[in-house]
Amino acid sequence: MIHRKAALLNGADGYQAHSGSIQMMDVLMIALTFGFFALAIGYAYACERL
């Protein structure tokens, strides 16, 4: 039990397993942000042509 707790505190088990998914979430959010701005700019151009 003590060894398991020490391993978790050192990051050997918990943190490193989830760091990849956190980085993937960052990439996803950046892509969604750029997509939203591209959609907003396209919508503005479409409304301007009306």
Side-chain angles (χ1 to χ4, degrees), residues 38-50:
L39 186 67
I41 290 170
Y43 183 72
Y45 278 128
C47 287
E48 188 175 88
R49 298 188 87 184
L50 290 178

Side-chain angles (χ1 to χ4, degrees), residues 17-32:
H18 296 292
S19 65
S21 64
I22 292 172
Q23 289 176 352
M24 189 64 190
M25 184 63 83
D26 289 343
V27 171
L28 179 66
M29 286 300 189
I30 290 170
L32 286 172

